[in-house]
Amino acid sequence: MNLFRTTNLESRLSRRESQRPAVSKRNSRGNVARMSLALAVALTWLAALPGQYSNAQDAQVTRPNPIAPSAIASSDPSTPARPASYRNAAKPTGSWMAITHIYQGDHPAPVDTHHVVYENGSYYDFSDDESQPWTIFDLPSSRVILLDRKRQLRTSVPTKDLIQLAARAEAEITDPTDRGRYGMDAVPSRTSDGQFSVSYADTVYRVTGIRPEMPGLAVEYGRFVDWACRLNVARPRGVPPFARMKLNAVMTSAKLLPAETAVTLTRHIGADRTPAKIRLRSTTTIDRQLTDAMTQRINDAKSMRVLFQEIPWDQYEH
């Protein structure tokens, strides 16, 4: 399973539908530059965790989009630092796809399924849930594109903005209590050859890893998870992704793929803050051959990228 994928389910526990803003034709890159939101906006999101939910399934928390364009370094100040293997994959692997099923509690049927397709240096994240966007991590062009299939809209953000936002959080959140709450100083552990875990505050991750035939595939998959977590910093939903980034870096360095991930979230319900546990699980398998259906989805995503109307980043969310 992949560490990023759990956030999509977590977001359902903390997302509220609201009226979408009117569409604007302003240039999205210029709009991102105008979004001079301080890190305090991100802290507003972080401070809302964990929420006091009257029902774990009906969490009502709205969080802003803290894209902060001001750079704090010209290099790649990863949070945490990406392992050298990210930049020096042994051998190209060619195209492949990862199929992730997400489960909640003991329900036998998945609540969502994602296909992550790697082709020519780009990652395509396809959710089977019509309400979720398709995402293109176009690393050769240094952009991440979100495609809203229902509204037929698209938006994008430069990858450097995602790097800068994560770096700002790392640099400006210095209080030990806050860093503990957000998992920024969490230390992953390897309990056995293929077992990993990380815990902080009221969140525990346990991952079972497998070693692929091609070490480069683990590196490529780890790179996807890293960028997906960075996108989750810019689209605040669920829990902060910092601990997941650290755990992913450890697994990528070990050249292992996550096969299954179990996540336990403790949330407090009602005025008396009664603790309640939310259990999420996901499984991931890798297929070296793209199906005709996935090839068609790639072609559809490329068409949507051209045909859908582009709107500024801050107007995409609701």
Side-chain angles (χ1 to χ4, degrees), residues 24-307:
S24 170
K25 295 184 178 180
R26 288 179 295 169
N27 177 269
S28 64
R29 181 63 186 95
N31 183 74
V32 170
R34 286 190 293 270
M35 293 174 65
S36 56
L37 302 179
L39 191 65
V41 178
L43 292 176
T44 300
W45 157 57
L46 295 171
L49 302 169
Q52 295 185 22
Y53 301 159
S54 59
N55 185 298
Q57 293 291 334
D58 299 315
Q60 301 279 313
V61 180
T62 299
R63 301 187 179 100
N65 296 310
I67 289 292
S70 58
I72 64 172
S74 59
S75 60
D76 184 347
S78 303
T79 313
R82 286 187 261 173
S85 57
Y86 276 34
R87 300 181 294 276
N88 301 298
K91 293 181 180 179
T93 62
S95 300
W96 50 264
M97 67 177 181
I99 304 96
T100 296
H101 300 293
I102 305 171
Y103 304 86
Q104 182 170 359
D106 296 323
H107 295 293
V111 295
D112 195 7
T113 296
H114 279 252
H115 292 79
V116 174
V117 180
Y118 176 77
E119 184 184 62
N120 297 325
S122 294
Y123 299 92
Y124 298 82
D125 180 15
F126 300 120
S127 171
D128 286 354
D129 185 342
E130 287 291 331
S131 68
Q132 297 297 315
W134 283 357
T135 306
I136 304 174
F137 295 85
D138 185 353
L139 301 187
S141 298
S142 300
R143 299 196 74 81
V144 178
I145 301 97
L146 274 64
L147 302 169
D148 187 319
R149 292 167 287 160
K150 281 191 172 182
R151 295 184 291 169
Q152 297 189 7
L153 299 174
R154 73 177 189 271
T155 193
S156 65
V157 60
T159 54
K160 69 177 182 180
D161 285 358
L162 301 182
I163 291 172
Q164 291 167 4
L165 180 62
R168 287 194 63 180
E170 181 67 26
E172 297 188 28
I173 301 177
T174 58
D175 183 84
T177 300
D178 288 339
R179 293 183 67 86
R181 286 183 62 203
Y182 312 147
M184 301 181 77
D185 294 327
V187 179
S189 62
R190 186 171 185 172
T191 57
S192 65
D193 184 53
Q195 301 293 322
F196 298 81
S197 66
V198 66
S199 61
Y200 67 95
D202 295 322
T203 304
V204 179
Y205 286 85
R206 292 186 175 87
V207 183
T208 300
I210 58 173
R211 192 173 304 280
E213 294 181 3
M214 298 181 65
L217 200 153
V219 174
E220 288 173 352
Y221 189 81
R223 184 183 296 116
F224 161 74
V225 175
D226 185 68
W227 280 112
C229 284
R230 293 173 188 277
L231 180 61
N232 287 339
V233 176
R235 301 181 70 221
R237 5 182 107 203
V239 297
F242 305 110
R244 293 195 298 278
M245 293 171 73
K246 291 175 180 290
L247 184 53
N248 176 63
V250 170
M251 295 193 65
T252 301
S253 295
K255 302 294 193 301
L256 293 174
L257 290 167
E260 181 169 348
T261 296
V263 184
T264 302
L265 310 171
T266 301
R267 296 295 181 258
H268 297 86
I269 301 173
D272 58 353
R273 295 182 58 79
T274 302
K277 292 188 181 298
I278 302 169
R279 293 182 295 111
L280 311 173
R281 179 176 63 88
S282 67
T283 61
T284 294
T285 57
I286 302 291
D287 194 332
R288 293 293 309 282
Q289 299 295 323
L290 301 188
T291 63
D292 291 342
M294 287 304 106
T295 299
Q296 183 59 52
R297 283 194 181 187
I298 291 174
N299 293 333
D300 290 344
K302 290 178 179 178
S303 296
M304 294 174 189
R305 183 174 178 177
V306 174
L307 297 176

